[in-house]
Amino acid sequence: MNWTDERVELLKKLWAEGLSASQIAAQLGNVSRNAVIGKVHRLKLSSRGRATAAPAAKKKMVATPTTVQRTVTAAARPATAQPPRIITTTVGANALQMQFDAEPVANQQIRPASDVVVPISRRLHLVELSERTCKWPNGDPLSEDFSFCGNDAKDASPYCGYHAKVAFQPVGERRRAR
DNA sequence: CCCTGATTCGC
DNA sequence: GCGAATCAGG
């Protein structure tokens, strides 16, 4: 794949927007992140504020006005549920780092007869997925807020524990589909 | 281990 | 010019 004007232009744009080299590579398609980084250097548009990796959560950045952290004392969390945890995600190199409570909107109707853990999606976008993030889709692919589960996928599975169960139904529980 | 960008160097 | 390999780091 050669660097057409359009591809270079997109590269510049995305780089300026703070996307990581791998994300840009994924979006351009057919190029490795190394190729992107190499090109960035040749174009002499390195830099981008601060940076080596994700400097977001550095020591004293300006402030963290949007950091909200709550410890949930979940009222009715089944014993089989996962402990409350905080999910941290970073968008872009010098972009905001969002930290939010992973606990779902406390009204999840948990079927009594189920011992399945409620899925907690990270709502990632396509370019944010890696080989070990759950690729279970949420919502309409054509919709704006379409996202993927994004939780850790076990081993080489394309899904996290919960979605793997949903995706690969045990033959014993499968009702004769039609 | 996951990820990041930076550099080098054979092509 | 290109990008894989490598390096340095979070």
Side-chain angles (χ1 to χ4, degrees):
Chain A
M1 191 57 77
N2 64 309
W3 290 101
T4 63
D5 288 356
E6 300 179 5
R7 289 168 66 79
V8 172
E9 209 177 312
L10 181 56
L11 164 58
K12 287 180 180 176
K13 179 193 171 193
L14 297 178
W15 183 259
E17 287 179 3
L19 289 179
S20 70
S22 63
Q23 289 179 311
I24 294 174
Q27 194 150 329
L28 287 171
N30 301 311
V31 280
S32 65
R33 83 182 185 93
N34 269 338
V36 171
I37 291 175
K39 187 60 181 176
V40 164
H41 273 220
R42 269 170 252 123
L43 290 173
K44 296 181 183 294
L45 36 84
S46 213
S47 199
R48 205 170 31 170
R50 287 300 90 167
T52 301
K58 274 296 181 188
K59 303 173 182 176
K60 312 175 178 177
M61 288 233 89
V62 185
T64 324
T66 55
T67 294
V68 178
Q69 197 173 56
R70 290 182 293 116
T71 297
V72 175
T73 316
R77 183 165 353 102
T80 54
Q82 302 176 333
R85 61 172 177 149
I86 302 301
I87 287 181
T88 296
T89 184
T90 300
V91 178
N94 49 14
L96 309 173
Q97 175 171 75
M98 296 172 287
Q99 195 171 61
F100 52 90
D101 200 322
E103 201 67 22
V105 188
N107 67 352
Q108 288 282 353
Q109 267 279 30
I110 300 176
R111 290 180 299 290
S114 175
D115 64 341
V116 175
V117 175
V118 175
I120 301 171
S121 291
R122 294 177 66 191
R123 305 188 66 73
L124 299 181
H125 290 296
L126 183 58
V127 294
E128 301 176 294
L129 295 174
S130 73
E131 290 188 16
R132 46 190 301 289
T133 52
C134 178
K135 298 168 189 61
W136 185 270
N138 290 321
D140 182 354
L142 297 180
S143 172
E144 272 302 314
D145 64 345
F146 174 68
S147 63
F148 288 92
C149 169
N151 284 314
D152 281 352
K154 292 296 181 183
D155 303 309
S157 172
Y159 304 118
C160 63
Y162 172 80
H163 289 127
K165 288 181 181 175
V166 177
F168 307 111
Q169 295 175 32
V171 288
E173 291 182 13
R174 183 165 52 192
R175 317 233 60 115
R176 69 171 54 253
R178 114 192 60 184

